[in-house]
Amino acid sequence: MLSYVFLSWVRAMLQMKWLSGVLLLLLLTPAQALEKPDFHLKDRGSVKRQADAVLALMSYSVILDLASSNLTIQNSNSDEKNLVMSQLGGGDVISETTPLYLEGAIAYSRFDPTFVATNGTETRDIPLKWTTITGTGGIGWDFPLSENWVVRPIFDFSLGKVVSDLRAANWWVNQKAQTDFDFFKNGSMNAYGLGGALMFDYELVKPEYEVDVELRFSAMHLETFKSSDIVSGSADSQTANIWTRYRAPTGMTLLQRPVRYVLEASHSHYFGDQAGVLGFDYLSTVGVGLELDSSAYSVIVTRTRLVGRYMFGPGVSGFGVGLAVSF
């Protein structure tokens, strides 16, 4: 009898131990699942470096420059475009009696960086789209040096905004993310710029031909404000540029005015944070095109130019077509 009671007690203890083990396993399994490490950036400093690069790239948009006004950079291993920049701008003097010079530009760019996230055991690529919109305005005054030469100091100011778009990697939105990804999901970077330029402008107008030459040195300081801490920063960029245009009649007449052929050339050298951010520190262009004169009619546009340009620099070359109007 005593043996039976002892065996029953042992059997009960073993059953309780087994149930306790199962209960403990059930309790620990969710806890262990919750303890799975979150994904974080493999190199957190890469966000700051890419943001600084975007700020330097913004210099190409806020400094008026023919060579870099429209650029598209694509991956050499694919047709994917990693960088697109486009600028619409111009400037002119109000009148000969009031030599007030005004210039302005609006620009759009898209930069597609890719970051790497890890949780210690696996890694994932995070493809992004950073879109930048900038606006620049400038005011200057012409001081005559001779009959054909003027010197033109210019004060420039600009505003820009970079918006991060995570839709290309929307699978990440549903993940438990750390603060590393706050800027990726709904962040923005705001920047303002203050700077100026000094321009020497030469104009020679004759019935047989017209010659324009501009030598310009531009500088711009860009600073972030009201931006995510991880992407705050500044950039200082300078551009030295020489540009020349030659226009002469083709012998044809259209719109009651001679049709002119146009020859252009320019060279831009980049300094400061802007230099080398795209792999080159200078760009040159040569162009040829046609110009229509509509000044015989009561329209706001007096001249329209269509110019094809070839651009080249260290490790880069391309072709584009530009449309310009004069008022």
Side-chain angles (χ1 to χ4, degrees), residues 150-161:
V150 299
V151 60
R152 181 181 297 147
I154 306 168
F155 169 73
D156 288 307
F157 53 90
S158 63
L159 284 174
K161 188 179 186 68

Side-chain angles (χ1 to χ4, degrees), residues 245-257:
R245 174 188 292 150
Y246 178 85
R247 294 179 285 196
T250 62
M252 297 185 297
T253 301
L254 191 63
L255 303 177
Q256 303 183 37
R257 291 289 189 271

Side-chain angles (χ1 to χ4, degrees), residues 179-196:
T179 56
D180 285 351
F181 306 101
D182 289 345
F183 177 72
F184 291 174
K185 291 187 291 185
N186 51 20
S188 64
M189 180 171 67
N190 305 297
Y192 70 90
L194 295 176

Side-chain angles (χ1 to χ4, degrees), residues 218-234:
S218 305
M220 182 68 72
H221 173 78
L222 290 168
E223 189 87 25
T224 58
F225 70 97
K226 292 184 178 180
S227 304
S228 305
D229 292 339
I230 197 171
V231 292
S232 60
S234 62

Side-chain angles (χ1 to χ4, degrees), residues 6 35 37 59 61 77 81 83 86 96 104 119 122 161 197 199 211 223 225 227 244 284 287 290 294 304 309 327:
F6 176 74
E35 290 175 1
S59 303
S61 299
N77 298 323
K81 295 178 175 62
L83 172 66
S86 183
E96 292 183 1
N119 65 352
E122 59 179 311
K161 188 179 186 68
M199 180 189 297
V211 177
E223 189 87 25
F225 70 97
S227 304
T244 182
S284 301
L290 292 174
S294 55
T304 303
R309 298 185 180 94
F327 302 96

Side-chain angles (χ1 to χ4, degrees), residues 28-287:
L28 287 178
T29 299
Q32 290 173 345
L34 292 175
E35 290 175 1
K36 184 178 180 180
D38 294 331
F39 276 86
H40 61 276
L41 286 179
K42 189 174 182 179
D43 180 8
R44 194 172 190 269
S46 62
V47 181
K48 180 65 168 62
R49 289 193 297 272
Q50 294 281 23
D52 289 342
V54 170
L55 208 57
L57 287 172
M58 195 181 290
S59 303
Y60 287 97
S61 299
V62 299
I63 294 179
L64 272 71
D65 175 43
L66 176 65
S68 59
S69 59
N70 290 279
L71 287 174
T72 299
I73 308 295
Q74 69 182 40
N75 192 326
S76 59
N77 298 323
S78 68
D79 293 331
E80 182 181 356
K81 295 178 175 62
N82 300 110
L83 172 66
V84 176
M85 292 194 298
S86 183
Q87 183 190 73
L88 175 64
D92 203 356
V93 177
I94 292 181
S95 66
E96 292 183 1
T97 57
T98 307
L100 178 67
Y101 174 83
L102 299 175
E103 67 179 17
I106 56 174
Y108 161 88
S109 64
R110 196 198 73 226
F111 179 46
D112 298 348
T114 298
F115 297 91
V116 178
T118 180
N119 65 352
T121 58
E122 59 179 311
T123 59
R124 293 181 180 178
D125 290 340
I126 309 175
L128 298 178
K129 293 184 182 296
W130 286 359
T131 302
T132 303
I133 302 294
T134 60
T136 301
I139 182 170
W141 192 269
D142 281 6
F143 296 94
L145 296 177
S146 65
E147 181 180 357
N148 304 110
W149 281 98
V150 299
V151 60
R152 181 181 297 147
I154 306 168
F155 169 73
D156 288 307
F157 53 90
S158 63
L159 284 174
K161 188 179 186 68
V162 180
V163 178
S164 179
D165 185 357
L166 194 63
R167 284 178 296 181
N170 55 13
W171 57 268
W172 192 260
V173 177
N174 297 322
Q175 297 287 331
K176 183 179 179 181
Q178 295 182 346
T179 56
D180 285 351
F181 306 101
D182 289 345
F183 177 72
F184 291 174
K185 291 187 291 185
N186 51 20
S188 64
M189 180 171 67
N190 305 297
Y192 70 90
L194 295 176
L198 183 64
M199 180 189 297
F200 292 90
D201 187 10
Y202 173 85
E203 293 186 9
L204 178 61
V205 179
K206 291 187 174 184
E208 299 84 9
Y209 60 87
E210 298 179 16
V211 177
D212 293 329
V213 179
E214 291 181 359
L215 298 97
R216 174 170 176 152
F217 181 81
S218 305
M220 182 68 72
H221 173 78
L222 290 168
E223 189 87 25
T224 58
F225 70 97
K226 292 184 178 180
S227 304
S228 305
D229 292 339
I230 197 171
V231 292
S232 60
S234 62
D236 290 284
S237 299
Q238 301 88 37
T239 301
N241 170 264
I242 180 171
W243 167 88
T244 182
R245 174 188 292 150
Y246 178 85
R247 294 179 285 196
T250 62
M252 297 185 297
T253 301
L254 191 63
L255 303 177
Q256 303 183 37
R257 291 289 189 271
V259 177
R260 297 178 176 87
Y261 67 88
V262 181
L263 302 177
E264 284 187 357
S266 74
H267 178 79
S268 299
H269 203 104
Y270 308 106
F271 305 91
D273 295 325
Q274 190 180 12
V277 70
L278 290 177
F280 52 80
D281 57 6
Y282 69 84
L283 285 175
S284 301
T285 68
V286 291

Side-chain angles (χ1 to χ4, degrees), residues 295 314 324-325:
S295 59
V325 295

